[in-house]
Amino acid sequence: MVRYAVMWKFKPSDGRSPKEIGEDVKEKYESLLGLVPGLKNIEVGINRNESATAYDAIMIADFETWEALADYKADSMRDNVIKYVETLIDVRARVEYER
């Protein structure tokens, strides 16, 4: 099993708080489950820690193989979500690993 994790810090956007932006991002990413082949599970968590070193949200997705992850990254539905999220982020970090 391959796990893909991405964390974001959001920049101010239309007067929305990072938590509000995170909820919007969560809905968009989690809507991909069942639509993108190879995506076995996806979860977005919204951070409740107010520390300056904390990220605002994390996305964790599971795939059977590295090839399935590559297919996910090339999927047009995921690409539409990415284009939207890129307008909201200040900082992004990611990790890909085998479980």
Side-chain angles (χ1 to χ4, degrees):
M1 177 94 44
V2 174
R3 179 157 281 175
Y4 178 60
V6 181
M7 296 188 307
W8 305 280
K9 287 187 180 189
F10 300 117
K11 58 187 174 186
S13 175
D14 300 328
R16 296 185 298 165
S17 72
K19 288 179 184 66
E20 290 170 322
I21 295 168
E23 292 294 342
D24 189 30
V25 169
K26 174 182 175 74
E27 180 181 318
K28 291 188 182 320
Y29 268 103
E30 291 181 352
S31 73
L32 297 175
L33 189 61
L35 300 175
V36 177
L39 178 61
K40 297 298 180 190
N41 188 46
I42 191 164
E43 175 182 351
V44 176
I46 311 303
N47 185 28
R48 301 299 180 207
N49 183 321
E50 299 295 330
S51 168
T53 61
Y55 279 71
D56 297 317
I58 185 169
M59 184 270 298
I60 300 171
D62 293 320
F63 303 86
E64 287 295 327
T65 64
W66 289 104
E67 292 79 17
L69 174 57
D71 290 345
Y72 164 80
K73 288 179 177 181
D75 188 274
S76 63
M77 286 182 285
R78 180 228 181 224
D79 192 48
N80 290 335
V81 173
I82 290 290
K83 286 178 183 174
Y84 171 71
V85 172
E86 284 178 342
T87 67
L88 303 170
I89 58 174
D90 186 33
V91 178
R92 177 179 174 260
R94 79 173 180 204
V95 176
E96 301 171 6
Y97 61 96
E98 201 158 354
R99 297 181 63 205

